[in-house]
Amino acid sequence: MKKLASMLAVAALFALSACDKQVQNGHAQKTAVTEDDVLTARSPYAIVIHGGAGTIRRKDLTPQQDSAYRAALNAALDIGEEILRNGGSALDAVEQTIHYLEDSPLFNAGRGAVFTNAGTNELDASIMDGRTRNAGAVGGVTIVKHPISAARAVMEQSPHVFLVGKGAEDFALSIGLDTVDPAYFFTQRRWESLQRAKAREAQTGQYLVDPNPDYKFGTVGCVALDKDGNIAAGTSTGGMTNKRWGRIGDSPIIGAGTFADNNTCGVSCTGHGEFFIRWVVAYDVAARMEYLGESLEEATQHVIREKLKAVGGIGGLIALDRAGNISMEFNTEGMYRGYARPGERYVGIYKD
Ligand code: ASP
Protein backbone atom coordinates (compact mmCIF):
# COMPACT_ATOMS: atom_id res chain seq x y z
CA MET A 1 0.00 0.00 0.00
CA LYS A 2 2.89 2.33 0.88
CA LYS A 3 4.51 1.51 -2.44
CA LEU A 4 1.31 1.93 -4.37
CA ALA A 5 0.57 5.32 -2.84
CA SER A 6 3.98 6.76 -3.50
CA MET A 7 4.05 5.21 -6.97
CA LEU A 8 0.79 6.94 -7.81
CA ALA A 9 2.14 10.32 -6.73
CA VAL A 10 5.39 9.76 -8.61
CA ALA A 11 3.47 8.52 -11.65
CA ALA A 12 1.34 11.67 -11.59
CA LEU A 13 4.45 13.82 -11.62
CA PHE A 14 6.12 11.68 -14.25
CA ALA A 15 3.09 11.94 -16.50
CA LEU A 16 3.23 15.70 -16.15
CA SER A 17 6.96 15.90 -16.78
CA ALA A 18 6.93 13.61 -19.78
CA CYS A 19 3.86 14.98 -21.47
CA ASP A 20 4.44 16.65 -24.80
CA LYS A 21 3.40 20.27 -24.79
CA GLN A 22 2.79 22.18 -27.97
CA VAL A 23 5.14 25.10 -28.45
CA GLN A 24 4.48 28.07 -30.69
CA ASN A 25 6.25 26.78 -33.80
CA GLY A 26 4.03 23.73 -33.73
CA HIS A 27 6.71 21.23 -32.64
CA ALA A 28 6.04 19.02 -29.69
CA GLN A 29 8.73 19.28 -27.04
CA LYS A 30 9.46 17.44 -23.81
CA THR A 31 9.34 19.76 -20.85
CA ALA A 32 10.92 19.50 -17.44
CA VAL A 33 8.76 19.36 -14.30
CA THR A 34 7.83 22.94 -13.50
CA GLU A 35 6.86 24.48 -10.19
CA ASP A 36 3.25 24.56 -11.41
CA ASP A 37 3.36 20.89 -12.27
CA VAL A 38 4.58 20.02 -8.79
CA LEU A 39 1.86 22.07 -7.20
CA THR A 40 -0.80 20.49 -9.39
CA ALA A 41 0.29 17.02 -8.37
CA ARG A 42 0.85 17.95 -4.76
CA SER A 43 -1.02 16.27 -1.95
CA PRO A 44 -2.79 19.01 0.09
CA TYR A 45 -0.89 17.86 3.15
CA ALA A 46 1.19 14.90 4.28
CA ILE A 47 2.76 13.68 7.49
CA VAL A 48 5.17 10.84 8.17
CA ILE A 49 6.55 9.61 11.50
CA HIS A 50 9.00 7.09 12.90
CA GLY A 51 9.49 5.61 16.34
CA GLY A 52 12.93 4.14 15.75
CA ALA A 53 14.49 1.36 13.68
CA GLY A 54 16.34 -1.77 14.76
CA THR A 55 16.07 -5.50 15.27
CA ILE A 56 12.30 -5.46 15.42
CA ARG A 57 10.95 -8.78 14.17
CA ARG A 58 7.41 -10.09 14.34
CA LYS A 59 8.54 -12.73 16.85
CA ASP A 60 10.06 -10.09 19.13
CA LEU A 61 6.73 -8.44 19.95
CA THR A 62 3.75 -9.97 21.74
CA PRO A 63 0.37 -9.25 20.10
CA GLN A 64 -0.28 -6.78 22.95
CA GLN A 65 3.00 -4.95 22.33
CA ASP A 66 2.36 -4.93 18.61
CA SER A 67 -1.02 -3.31 19.07
CA ALA A 68 0.25 -0.85 21.69
CA TYR A 69 2.85 0.42 19.22
CA ARG A 70 0.34 0.62 16.39
CA ALA A 71 -2.12 2.48 18.59
CA ALA A 72 0.57 4.97 19.66
CA LEU A 73 1.68 5.57 16.07
CA ASN A 74 -1.93 6.10 14.99
CA ALA A 75 -2.62 8.46 17.89
CA ALA A 76 0.49 10.49 17.00
CA LEU A 77 -0.58 10.68 13.36
CA ASP A 78 -4.09 11.76 14.43
CA ILE A 79 -2.59 14.75 16.25
CA GLY A 80 -0.43 15.90 13.35
CA GLU A 81 -3.04 15.20 10.71
CA GLU A 82 -5.69 17.18 12.55
CA ILE A 83 -3.40 20.23 12.63
CA LEU A 84 -2.58 19.94 8.94
CA ARG A 85 -6.17 19.27 7.86
CA ASN A 86 -7.23 22.46 9.63
CA GLY A 87 -4.62 24.48 7.79
CA GLY A 88 -2.07 24.53 10.63
CA SER A 89 1.65 24.79 9.97
CA ALA A 90 4.02 21.92 9.32
CA LEU A 91 6.11 23.15 12.26
CA ASP A 92 3.16 22.90 14.66
CA ALA A 93 2.28 19.46 13.33
CA VAL A 94 5.86 18.24 13.83
CA GLU A 95 6.16 19.69 17.33
CA GLN A 96 2.79 18.44 18.61
CA THR A 97 3.14 14.99 17.06
CA ILE A 98 6.57 14.60 18.65
CA HIS A 99 5.18 15.80 22.00
CA TYR A 100 2.88 12.82 22.00
CA LEU A 101 5.71 10.43 21.16
CA GLU A 102 7.94 12.03 23.81
CA ASP A 103 5.22 11.48 26.41
CA SER A 104 4.84 7.80 25.51
CA PRO A 105 7.13 5.45 27.46
CA LEU A 106 7.19 3.15 24.41
CA PHE A 107 9.72 5.29 22.60
CA ASN A 108 13.27 6.37 23.30
CA ALA A 109 12.48 10.07 23.56
CA GLY A 110 11.23 12.16 26.44
CA ARG A 111 9.70 9.74 28.97
CA GLY A 112 11.11 6.35 27.98
CA ALA A 113 14.52 7.70 26.99
CA VAL A 114 17.42 5.27 27.30
CA PHE A 115 20.03 5.54 30.06
CA THR A 116 23.61 6.70 29.86
CA ASN A 117 26.43 4.66 31.35
CA ALA A 118 26.14 6.88 34.44
CA GLY A 119 22.46 5.97 34.85
CA THR A 120 21.14 9.35 33.71
CA ASN A 121 18.86 10.32 30.79
CA GLU A 122 20.35 12.90 28.42
CA LEU A 123 18.01 14.02 25.69
CA ASP A 124 18.70 15.44 22.22
CA ALA A 125 16.30 17.00 19.72
CA SER A 126 16.20 19.20 16.64
CA ILE A 127 13.69 20.84 14.34
CA MET A 128 14.01 22.56 10.98
CA ASP A 129 11.73 24.85 9.00
CA GLY A 130 12.00 24.11 5.28
CA ARG A 131 10.53 27.48 4.35
CA THR A 132 13.39 29.52 5.80
CA ARG A 133 16.00 26.88 6.66
CA ASN A 134 15.81 28.11 10.22
CA ALA A 135 16.72 25.40 12.67
CA GLY A 136 17.06 24.75 16.39
CA ALA A 137 18.53 21.96 18.47
CA VAL A 138 19.34 20.92 22.03
CA GLY A 139 21.75 18.25 23.22
CA GLY A 140 22.26 16.45 26.52
CA VAL A 141 19.36 18.02 28.41
CA THR A 142 18.14 16.27 31.57
CA ILE A 143 15.19 18.29 32.86
CA VAL A 144 13.32 19.47 29.76
CA LYS A 145 10.02 17.62 29.46
CA HIS A 146 9.67 18.15 25.71
CA PRO A 147 13.08 18.53 24.09
CA ILE A 148 11.46 19.15 20.69
CA SER A 149 9.87 22.32 22.08
CA ALA A 150 13.23 23.42 23.45
CA ALA A 151 14.68 22.90 19.97
CA ARG A 152 11.91 25.00 18.47
CA ALA A 153 12.46 27.70 21.08
CA VAL A 154 16.17 27.80 20.25
CA MET A 155 15.17 28.36 16.62
CA GLU A 156 12.56 31.02 17.33
CA GLN A 157 13.67 32.72 20.52
CA SER A 158 17.46 32.67 20.42
CA PRO A 159 20.02 33.84 17.86
CA HIS A 160 21.58 30.34 17.87
CA VAL A 161 20.97 26.94 16.32
CA PHE A 162 22.36 24.42 18.82
CA LEU A 163 22.51 24.65 22.64
CA VAL A 164 23.81 21.86 24.87
CA GLY A 165 23.76 20.74 28.51
CA LYS A 166 23.33 23.21 31.33
CA GLY A 167 23.21 26.20 29.00
CA ALA A 168 20.33 24.68 27.06
CA GLU A 169 18.54 23.99 30.35
CA ASP A 170 19.09 27.53 31.60
CA PHE A 171 17.65 28.80 28.33
CA ALA A 172 14.62 26.49 28.66
CA LEU A 173 14.04 27.70 32.24
CA SER A 174 14.46 31.33 31.24
CA ILE A 175 11.63 31.13 28.73
CA GLY A 176 9.36 29.05 30.95
CA LEU A 177 9.38 25.72 29.13
CA ASP A 178 8.02 22.69 31.03
CA THR A 179 10.75 21.14 33.15
CA VAL A 180 10.67 18.00 35.30
CA ASP A 181 12.70 16.19 37.90
CA PRO A 182 15.16 13.92 36.02
CA ALA A 183 13.44 10.91 37.69
CA TYR A 184 10.44 11.60 35.40
CA PHE A 185 12.36 9.95 32.55
CA PHE A 186 12.93 6.66 34.42
CA THR A 187 11.33 3.55 32.99
CA GLN A 188 12.10 0.05 34.26
CA ARG A 189 12.41 -1.34 30.77
CA ARG A 190 15.16 1.11 29.74
CA TRP A 191 16.92 0.61 33.07
CA GLU A 192 17.05 -3.11 32.41
CA SER A 193 18.44 -2.44 28.90
CA LEU A 194 21.27 -0.49 30.50
CA GLN A 195 22.03 -3.36 32.88
CA ARG A 196 22.13 -5.78 29.91
CA ALA A 197 24.37 -3.43 27.94
CA LYS A 198 26.74 -3.14 30.88
CA ALA A 199 26.82 -6.91 31.37
CA ARG A 200 27.58 -7.36 27.66
CA GLU A 201 30.29 -4.76 27.88
CA ALA A 202 31.85 -6.49 30.88
CA GLN A 203 31.74 -9.81 29.04
CA THR A 204 33.07 -8.68 25.67
CA GLY A 205 35.10 -5.65 26.63
CA GLN A 206 33.39 -3.83 23.76
CA TYR A 207 31.77 -0.44 24.16
CA LEU A 208 28.37 0.12 22.51
CA VAL A 209 29.67 1.78 19.39
CA ASP A 210 30.62 -1.66 18.13
CA PRO A 211 27.70 -2.73 15.94
CA ASN A 212 25.40 -4.84 18.05
CA PRO A 213 22.88 -6.83 15.99
CA ASP A 214 20.39 -6.82 18.83
CA TYR A 215 20.32 -3.07 19.14
CA LYS A 216 16.88 -1.50 19.09
CA PHE A 217 16.63 2.18 18.41
CA GLY A 218 13.57 4.07 19.55
CA THR A 219 14.16 7.63 18.52
CA VAL A 220 11.10 9.49 17.25
CA GLY A 221 10.77 11.76 14.26
CA CYS A 222 8.17 13.55 12.19
CA VAL A 223 8.17 15.30 8.82
CA ALA A 224 5.17 17.28 7.60
CA LEU A 225 4.01 19.18 4.53
CA ASP A 226 1.29 21.74 5.19
CA LYS A 227 -1.39 23.25 2.96
CA ASP A 228 0.85 26.25 2.26
CA GLY A 229 3.49 23.94 0.81
CA ASN A 230 5.89 24.30 3.73
CA ILE A 231 7.92 21.35 4.94
CA ALA A 232 9.21 20.88 8.50
CA ALA A 233 11.16 18.05 10.11
CA GLY A 234 11.99 17.15 13.70
CA THR A 235 13.71 14.40 15.66
CA SER A 236 13.86 13.65 19.39
CA THR A 237 15.82 10.97 21.24
CA GLY A 238 17.46 9.71 24.40
CA GLY A 239 20.39 8.64 22.21
CA MET A 240 21.99 5.23 22.62
CA THR A 241 21.89 3.03 25.72
CA ASN A 242 25.11 3.13 27.73
CA LYS A 243 26.41 6.26 25.98
CA ARG A 244 29.03 8.18 27.94
CA TRP A 245 31.26 11.23 28.03
CA GLY A 246 28.47 13.58 26.94
CA ARG A 247 28.05 11.67 23.69
CA ILE A 248 25.64 13.31 21.28
CA GLY A 249 24.32 11.46 18.25
CA ASP A 250 22.94 12.56 14.90
CA SER A 251 19.41 13.43 16.07
CA PRO A 252 20.12 17.05 17.10
CA ILE A 253 22.60 17.65 14.30
CA ILE A 254 21.09 19.54 11.40
CA GLY A 255 21.97 17.78 8.16
CA ALA A 256 22.76 14.49 9.90
CA GLY A 257 19.59 13.45 11.78
CA THR A 258 17.22 16.18 10.61
CA PHE A 259 16.91 18.37 7.54
CA ALA A 260 14.18 20.33 5.73
CA ASP A 261 14.12 22.55 2.69
CA ASN A 262 10.93 23.37 0.80
CA ASN A 263 12.85 23.02 -2.48
CA THR A 264 13.70 19.39 -1.94
CA CYS A 265 12.45 17.45 1.07
CA GLY A 266 12.28 17.00 4.83
CA VAL A 267 14.07 14.11 6.53
CA SER A 268 14.27 12.62 10.04
CA CYS A 269 16.65 9.75 10.77
CA THR A 270 17.06 6.97 13.32
CA GLY A 271 19.90 4.54 13.73
CA HIS A 272 23.54 4.28 14.71
CA GLY A 273 24.16 8.00 15.08
CA GLU A 274 27.90 7.98 14.52
CA PHE A 275 27.32 6.75 10.95
CA PHE A 276 24.50 9.18 10.31
CA ILE A 277 26.77 12.04 11.36
CA ARG A 278 29.70 10.92 9.22
CA TRP A 279 27.54 10.27 6.17
CA VAL A 280 25.52 13.48 6.73
CA VAL A 281 22.50 11.35 5.92
CA ALA A 282 19.56 13.76 6.06
CA TYR A 283 21.30 16.37 3.93
CA ASP A 284 22.68 13.76 1.58
CA VAL A 285 19.13 12.82 0.58
CA ALA A 286 18.28 16.47 -0.17
CA ALA A 287 21.59 17.02 -1.99
CA ARG A 288 21.05 14.02 -4.25
CA MET A 289 17.65 15.39 -5.18
CA GLU A 290 19.02 18.87 -5.80
CA TYR A 291 22.25 18.05 -7.58
CA LEU A 292 21.47 14.73 -9.26
CA GLY A 293 17.78 15.30 -9.93
CA GLU A 294 16.91 12.07 -8.14
CA SER A 295 13.39 11.46 -6.88
CA LEU A 296 12.80 11.19 -3.13
CA GLU A 297 12.48 7.44 -3.48
CA GLU A 298 15.73 7.08 -5.43
CA ALA A 299 17.68 9.31 -3.07
CA THR A 300 16.47 7.68 0.15
CA GLN A 301 16.91 4.15 -1.18
CA HIS A 302 20.44 4.87 -2.33
CA VAL A 303 21.52 6.43 0.95
CA ILE A 304 20.00 3.81 3.28
CA ARG A 305 20.11 0.59 1.27
CA GLU A 306 23.41 1.12 -0.50
CA LYS A 307 25.69 3.77 0.99
CA LEU A 308 24.99 3.19 4.68
CA LYS A 309 24.45 -0.54 4.39
CA ALA A 310 27.82 -0.96 2.67
CA VAL A 311 29.63 0.51 5.67
CA GLY A 312 27.54 -1.16 8.37
CA GLY A 313 25.55 1.95 9.29
CA ILE A 314 22.31 0.50 10.57
CA GLY A 315 19.08 2.48 10.76
CA GLY A 316 16.52 4.23 8.65
CA LEU A 317 14.74 7.45 7.87
CA ILE A 318 11.42 9.00 7.01
CA ALA A 319 11.13 11.70 4.39
CA LEU A 320 8.68 13.58 2.23
CA ASP A 321 9.06 15.93 -0.69
CA ARG A 322 7.16 19.04 -1.71
CA ALA A 323 4.65 17.02 -3.73
CA GLY A 324 3.83 14.94 -0.66
CA ASN A 325 5.62 11.80 -1.85
CA ILE A 326 6.63 9.75 1.15
CA SER A 327 9.60 7.50 1.84
CA MET A 328 10.19 5.27 4.87
CA GLU A 329 13.49 3.48 4.26
CA PHE A 330 15.45 1.27 6.66
CA ASN A 331 18.18 -1.36 6.44
CA THR A 332 17.20 -3.04 9.73
CA GLU A 333 14.62 -5.74 10.51
CA GLY A 334 12.01 -3.15 11.27
CA MET A 335 11.12 0.46 11.94
CA TYR A 336 8.10 1.83 13.78
CA ARG A 337 6.59 4.09 11.16
CA GLY A 338 3.48 5.55 9.61
CA TYR A 339 2.09 8.26 7.42
CA ALA A 340 -1.12 10.07 6.60
CA ARG A 341 -2.40 11.99 3.60
CA PRO A 342 -5.99 12.98 2.86
CA GLY A 343 -7.93 9.72 2.82
CA GLU A 344 -4.82 7.60 3.36
CA ARG A 345 -3.29 6.08 6.48
CA TYR A 346 -0.48 3.56 6.93
CA VAL A 347 1.20 2.22 10.06
CA GLY A 348 3.92 -0.44 9.98
CA ILE A 349 6.55 -2.08 12.16
CA TYR A 350 8.31 -4.96 10.38
CA LYS A 351 10.12 -5.25 7.08
CA ASP A 352 7.43 -7.51 5.55
N1 ASP B 1 20.20 8.06 16.15
C1 ASP B 1 20.13 8.04 17.58
C2 ASP B 1 21.47 8.32 18.16
O1 ASP B 1 22.45 7.83 17.63
C3 ASP B 1 19.64 6.75 18.13
C4 ASP B 1 18.36 6.25 17.55
O2 ASP B 1 18.01 6.58 16.43
O3 ASP B 1 17.67 5.52 18.24
O4 ASP B 1 21.55 8.98 19.17
Side-chain angles (χ1 to χ4, degrees), residues 142-143 179-185:
T142 59
I143 57 165
T179 50
V180 289
D181 186 284
Y184 165 82
F185 298 109

PDB file of all heavy atoms in Angstrom, residues 142-143 179-185:
ATOM      1  N   THR A 142      18.585  17.279  30.603  1.00  0.00           N
ATOM      2  CA  THR A 142      18.144  16.267  31.572  1.00  0.00           C
ATOM      3  C   THR A 142      16.855  16.636  32.300  1.00  0.00           C
ATOM      4  O   THR A 142      16.308  15.821  33.038  1.00  0.00           O
ATOM      5  CB  THR A 142      19.239  16.049  32.639  1.00  0.00           C
ATOM      6  OG1 THR A 142      19.481  17.314  33.286  1.00  0.00           O
ATOM      7  CG2 THR A 142      20.528  15.552  32.032  1.00  0.00           C
ATOM      8  N   ILE A 143      16.383  17.866  32.112  1.00  0.00           N
ATOM      9  CA  ILE A 143      15.192  18.286  32.865  1.00  0.00           C
ATOM     10  C   ILE A 143      14.087  18.849  31.973  1.00  0.00           C
ATOM     11  O   ILE A 143      13.048  19.275  32.469  1.00  0.00           O
ATOM     12  CB  ILE A 143      15.546  19.366  33.922  1.00  0.00           C
ATOM     13  CG1 ILE A 143      16.215  20.566  33.265  1.00  0.00           C
ATOM     14  CG2 ILE A 143      16.426  18.785  35.024  1.00  0.00           C
ATOM     15  CD1 ILE A 143      16.276  21.810  34.142  1.00  0.00           C
ATOM     16  N   THR A 179       9.605  21.930  32.717  1.00  0.00           N
ATOM     17  CA  THR A 179      10.746  21.136  33.154  1.00  0.00           C
ATOM     18  C   THR A 179      10.273  20.128  34.199  1.00  0.00           C
ATOM     19  O   THR A 179       9.211  20.301  34.798  1.00  0.00           O
ATOM     20  CB  THR A 179      11.865  22.024  33.763  1.00  0.00           C
ATOM     21  OG1 THR A 179      11.284  22.894  34.733  1.00  0.00           O
ATOM     22  CG2 THR A 179      12.564  22.845  32.692  1.00  0.00           C
ATOM     23  N   VAL A 180      11.056  19.087  34.386  1.00  0.00           N
ATOM     24  CA  VAL A 180      10.670  18.003  35.299  1.00  0.00           C
ATOM     25  C   VAL A 180      11.885  17.565  36.101  1.00  0.00           C
ATOM     26  O   VAL A 180      13.028  17.853  35.732  1.00  0.00           O
ATOM     27  CB  VAL A 180      10.147  16.774  34.502  1.00  0.00           C
ATOM     28  CG1 VAL A 180       8.792  17.050  33.881  1.00  0.00           C
ATOM     29  CG2 VAL A 180      11.149  16.340  33.442  1.00  0.00           C
ATOM     30  N   ASP A 181      11.614  16.830  37.185  1.00  0.00           N
ATOM     31  CA  ASP A 181      12.704  16.190  37.904  1.00  0.00           C
ATOM     32  C   ASP A 181      13.261  15.104  36.976  1.00  0.00           C
ATOM     33  O   ASP A 181      12.481  14.412  36.310  1.00  0.00           O
ATOM     34  CB  ASP A 181      12.124  15.552  39.177  1.00  0.00           C
ATOM     35  CG  ASP A 181      13.227  14.987  40.044  1.00  0.00           C
ATOM     36  OD1 ASP A 181      13.760  13.897  39.702  1.00  0.00           O
ATOM     37  OD2 ASP A 181      13.564  15.637  41.046  1.00  0.00           O
ATOM     38  N   PRO A 182      14.596  14.928  36.928  1.00  0.00           N
ATOM     39  CA  PRO A 182      15.158  13.916  36.019  1.00  0.00           C
ATOM     40  C   PRO A 182      14.534  12.526  36.213  1.00  0.00           C
ATOM     41  O   PRO A 182      14.494  11.726  35.272  1.00  0.00           O
ATOM     42  CB  PRO A 182      16.650  13.910  36.365  1.00  0.00           C
ATOM     43  CG  PRO A 182      16.916  15.280  36.915  1.00  0.00           C
ATOM     44  CD  PRO A 182      15.651  15.723  37.592  1.00  0.00           C
ATOM     45  N   ALA A 183      14.031  12.234  37.417  1.00  0.00           N
ATOM     46  CA  ALA A 183      13.438  10.910  37.690  1.00  0.00           C
ATOM     47  C   ALA A 183      12.200  10.661  36.810  1.00  0.00           C
ATOM     48  O   ALA A 183      11.809   9.513  36.587  1.00  0.00           O
ATOM     49  CB  ALA A 183      13.043  10.807  39.152  1.00  0.00           C
ATOM     50  N   TYR A 184      11.615  11.729  36.277  1.00  0.00           N
ATOM     51  CA  TYR A 184      10.444  11.604  35.396  1.00  0.00           C
ATOM     52  C   TYR A 184      10.748  10.688  34.213  1.00  0.00           C
ATOM     53  O   TYR A 184       9.869   9.983  33.704  1.00  0.00           O
ATOM     54  CB  TYR A 184      10.039  12.997  34.900  1.00  0.00           C
ATOM     55  CG  TYR A 184       9.094  13.007  33.720  1.00  0.00           C
ATOM     56  CD1 TYR A 184       7.718  12.844  33.895  1.00  0.00           C
ATOM     57  CD2 TYR A 184       9.581  13.180  32.413  1.00  0.00           C
ATOM     58  CE1 TYR A 184       6.851  12.854  32.810  1.00  0.00           C
ATOM     59  CE2 TYR A 184       8.723  13.200  31.329  1.00  0.00           C
ATOM     60  CZ  TYR A 184       7.363  13.026  31.527  1.00  0.00           C
ATOM     61  OH  TYR A 184       6.524  13.033  30.454  1.00  0.00           O
ATOM     62  N   PHE A 185      12.013  10.693  33.769  1.00  0.00           N
ATOM     63  CA  PHE A 185      12.363   9.945  32.554  1.00  0.00           C
ATOM     64  C   PHE A 185      12.629   8.466  32.816  1.00  0.00           C
ATOM     65  O   PHE A 185      12.844   7.699  31.890  1.00  0.00           O
ATOM     66  CB  PHE A 185      13.585  10.594  31.874  1.00  0.00           C
ATOM     67  CG  PHE A 185      13.327  12.002  31.430  1.00  0.00           C
ATOM     68  CD1 PHE A 185      13.926  13.083  32.070  1.00  0.00           C
ATOM     69  CD2 PHE A 185      12.457  12.262  30.379  1.00  0.00           C
ATOM     70  CE1 PHE A 185      13.672  14.387  31.670  1.00  0.00           C
ATOM     71  CE2 PHE A 185      12.193  13.567  29.969  1.00  0.00           C
ATOM     72  CZ  PHE A 185      12.800  14.627  30.610  1.00  0.00           C
TER      73      PHE A 185
END
